[in-house]
Amino acid sequence: MTSYRAAPPETLRIVPLDALTLIYHRASGITHVVDAPVPELVEALGVGEFTVDQLLATFKDRYELLDADPAALAVLLDELVQAGLVERL
């Protein structure tokens, strides 16, 4: 099963800005302007490796999600991999 983790912390600069968050990816030189749940995902993945199911379980408990969609989370994680913010293992 595929697992994910955040890019190494030294490659990311994360700055909350009101309702949005700026994530500067040093390797690409790109600043990403993101909204929830991206900062929360990057934070969770920064402490360890998780599968989609493990992330959903963590977020269901933390945010009381009722209709979490594993396919939608997998798509979002793949987008974050493409952006360099998350690594697929």
Side-chain angles (χ1 to χ4, degrees):
M1 182 168 265
T2 303
S3 60
Y4 300 86
R5 69 175 174 211
E10 63 273 7
T11 66
L12 302 176
R13 171 93 165 106
I14 301 172
V15 179
L17 183 66
D18 295 325
L20 300 174
T21 299
L22 305 176
I23 302 178
Y24 176 67
H25 183 239
R26 288 183 172 96
S28 67
I30 296 174
T31 300
H32 303 272
V33 180
V34 297
D35 196 3
V38 172
E40 294 82 1
L41 286 170
V42 172
E43 178 185 348
L45 293 168
V47 298
E49 300 173 9
F50 292 88
T51 65
V52 169
D53 291 337
Q54 290 169 328
L55 275 172
L56 279 179
T58 299
F59 278 76
K60 279 183 181 180
D61 292 342
R62 189 178 299 169
Y63 299 107
E64 298 180 21
L65 300 178
L66 301 176
D67 59 350
D69 180 4
L73 179 56
V75 168
L76 177 56
L77 288 168
D78 286 340
E79 290 173 359
L80 295 174
V81 168
Q82 292 298 315
L85 304 179
V86 169
E87 297 175 348
R88 185 182 302 113
L89 304 173

